[in-house]
Amino acid sequence: MKSKIYGFPILPKAGLGNMLIPWADCYIWCKDLGIQQIAPFWRKIRVGPYLRGERDKRQYQKLFISGNMINGLSRLFLLLISKRISAEEFRNLNVKKSKILPTLVTFSDMNKLDLLLGRHEEVLNELYKITKPKFWPVKLQKSFIGIHIRMGDFPEKSNSLTQINFRIPLEWYIESLNQIRMALGNDFPVVIFSDGTDKEIESILKLPNVIRSPYSESISDLLAIAKSTVIITSRSSYSLFAAFLGQVPSIWYSGKDAIYKKSYMPTEKNGNLEIEWMPGQFLTAEFIESLKERI
């Protein structure tokens, strides 16, 4: 192998959104420097999705191919003999590569979305390249409201001020949808993306012109949500990464800015299109206009 320095994303045992951020960070870094990327390990041992009876068992290894990334025995050999240094150390200290051993620059931080601002098209194109074509979303409506409802391992909302992840009440989704439909039309199509059962989200599924995503895999849903006219989000990195990929205006339950301190859009103007909303509030004219421009 010609190069003596490589990028290697070390993926957390987490949801797909959190796994894709270090992968994308590594991909862009390698692309900018002309460095080869070592394929990550998508397979993680997961018992929870089976115990909870979730629709998605999170077997992400079956979704992707290696593409141009180093894989197989070459990957194992490099992982065995190489010197490792984190991307943070490399960026801060400008560490030189080893003169004797290959150097792996590792990427594991799930909070580096800000380093990808303005690069969403490149990340999206590469994500399609490494996703098996049978999982690409097809036959979607041209314009639709995407709603991501996270259930699964998220607990019910408590009274704790420090609780970060929780199931957002379905009433919030319904009321925010009503606000958007007041501007776009009461029959504007809606696609629900959720790991919950039909019974768990029944109250929103029975609304007019609302359908559930036809896809069974998380990557298909993620790529589909990125095509939305607007996303009504869950409190998850999955929603955040989907919105980033498509640069989609989004509505968030109160507290988004405390969790995700960086905008996923590159300009201040577009930053206003990531709004926190609670019942009783009205959507801004700027936000509504941005939705109409996307139709």
Side-chain angles (χ1 to χ4, degrees):
M1 298 180 183
K2 295 180 180 180
S3 179
K4 292 294 183 182
I5 185 168
Y6 305 89
F8 179 50
I10 301 177
L11 307 185
K13 185 180 178 181
L16 187 59
N18 279 324
M19 296 176 81
L20 284 172
I21 292 174
W23 163 80
D25 186 17
C26 182
Y27 163 69
I28 289 296
W29 183 81
C30 288
K31 180 181 180 182
D32 287 347
L33 297 181
I35 288 171
Q36 281 189 286
Q37 182 177 357
I38 296 175
F41 291 97
W42 297 101
R43 184 189 298 274
K44 308 291 179 183
I45 298 175
R46 303 176 191 271
V47 178
Y50 293 91
L51 294 178
R52 292 186 293 269
E54 295 179 17
R55 290 162 59 91
D56 180 11
K57 299 302 187 284
R58 306 192 188 190
Q59 297 301 307
Y60 301 137
Q61 72 281 355
K62 69 180 182 180
L63 307 178
F64 303 107
I65 60 175
S66 298
N68 294 324
M69 295 181 284
I70 298 172
N71 201 4
L73 293 177
S74 296
R75 173 176 64 174
L76 295 177
F77 178 72
L78 284 171
L79 294 180
L80 180 64
I81 69 167
S82 298
K83 169 189 174 182
R84 297 193 184 196
I85 183 170
S86 72
E88 195 72 13
E89 292 177 288
F90 193 92
R91 285 164 170 155
N92 291 340
L93 303 177
N94 194 25
V95 177
K96 302 298 182 182
K97 62 184 180 183
S98 170
K99 293 182 179 180
I100 302 174
L101 299 176
T103 299
L104 297 188
V105 179
T106 60
F107 296 75
S108 59
D109 197 326
M110 299 180 290
N111 299 304
K112 294 298 183 182
L113 191 63
D114 57 306
L115 298 179
L116 303 174
L117 296 187
R119 312 296 295 271
H120 55 279
E121 289 187 2
E122 298 162 81
V123 173
L124 180 60
N125 289 338
E126 185 64 16
L127 186 55
Y128 266 101
K129 287 179 182 178
I130 68 168
T131 299
K132 294 179 181 178
K134 67 179 180 179
F135 298 125
W136 293 356
V138 294
K139 299 180 180 178
L140 281 173
Q141 302 182 71
K142 183 177 179 181
S143 298
F144 63 92
I145 299 167
I147 302 182
H148 179 223
I149 303 175
R150 178 73 176 268
M151 305 291 278
D153 55 347
F154 274 23
E156 298 290 343
K157 187 178 185 305
S158 69
N159 294 323
S160 171
L161 297 177
T162 60
Q163 186 181 18
I164 295 177
N165 295 325
F166 54 81
R167 296 183 179 186
I168 297 174
L170 289 181
E171 292 76 16
W172 178 84
Y173 288 104
I174 292 172
E175 292 189 44
S176 55
L177 172 59
N178 289 338
Q179 279 281 311
I180 295 174
R181 278 183 156 177
M182 284 175 60
L184 302 184
N186 290 330
D187 61 345
F188 201 89
V190 175
V191 181
I192 304 294
F193 303 87
S194 179
D195 57 354
T197 65
D198 287 351
K199 185 173 180 59
E200 287 176 314
I201 59 174
E202 180 182 14
S203 60
I204 196 167
L205 281 177
K206 67 182 182 182
L207 297 177
N209 210 13
V210 173
I211 64 171
R212 186 162 194 157
S213 165
Y215 309 116
S216 58
E217 299 297 343
S218 53
I219 188 61
S220 307
D221 272 358
L222 183 81
L223 295 172
I225 299 173
K227 299 176 182 289
S228 304
T229 299
V230 57
I231 303 174
I232 303 176
T233 68
S234 66
R235 291 171 66 91
S236 72
S237 295
Y238 188 89
S239 286
L240 186 74
F241 199 75
F244 159 73
L245 289 174
Q247 293 293 280
V248 186
S250 57
I251 296 180
W252 295 79
Y253 193 89
S254 179
K256 181 259 183 188
D257 288 342
I259 306 171
Y260 308 111
K261 295 180 171 49
K262 296 288 186 179
S263 166
Y264 63 79
M265 291 181 171
T267 67
E268 285 298 322
K269 180 178 183 298
N270 283 339
N272 294 330
L273 303 185
E274 307 163 58
I275 65 170
E276 293 186 16
W277 179 90
M278 293 299 286
Q281 300 174 342
F282 291 97
L283 301 177
T284 65
E286 178 188 39
F287 188 81
I288 293 299
E289 189 60 31
S290 73
L291 307 189
K292 292 180 177 179
E293 290 174 358
R294 291 177 61 85
I295 298 174

